[in-house]
Amino acid sequence: MTTKPWRAALRGIIGLMFGLPALAADWSGTRNIVLSNATGERHIIGQVIFSDAAQGKTAFRIEMAAHMQDYFLAMRPFLCLTGPVQRLC
């Protein structure tokens, strides 16, 4: 069985992602989850709340906005943002 070159490269990249410590900005506080489109419309649909989990780890909690509505589509539950023209799920 031969491995395709792109699969080997992908495995290497994923290994680096999980093998190196996160070198990102401060992981604390609250960040908004925003839907946006090409015309510049922006809708806040939730928040991610980061907190210290000790030993250099960070925990997070996701809270969806109250205006998101439950719909059962394609035999699965979805949270949707309903507007006058369309519904985004």
Side-chain angles (χ1 to χ4, degrees):
M1 183 170 118
T2 61
T3 302
K4 295 183 180 180
W6 64 269
R7 287 187 181 172
L10 183 61
R11 285 189 189 120
I13 291 169
I14 291 171
L16 285 173
M17 286 175 25
F18 290 104
L20 296 174
L23 301 174
D26 183 28
W27 289 96
S28 63
T30 301
R31 306 288 191 276
N32 289 330
I33 303 170
V34 179
L35 281 180
S36 61
N37 63 20
T39 63
E41 289 180 274
R42 295 173 51 86
H43 300 280
I44 296 174
I45 62 166
Q47 294 183 326
V48 180
I49 298 101
F50 295 98
S51 59
D52 182 27
Q55 298 179 349
K57 296 181 181 180
T58 301
F60 68 93
R61 184 176 80 247
I62 296 175
E63 291 183 1
M64 298 306 292
H67 61 273
M68 297 295 289
Q69 299 172 341
D70 288 314
Y71 287 93
F72 195 72
L73 306 169
M75 302 303 292
R76 295 190 176 125
F78 286 87
L79 280 175
C80 302
L81 176 65
T82 302
V85 179
Q86 64 184 349
R87 179 177 296 139
L88 302 172
C89 299

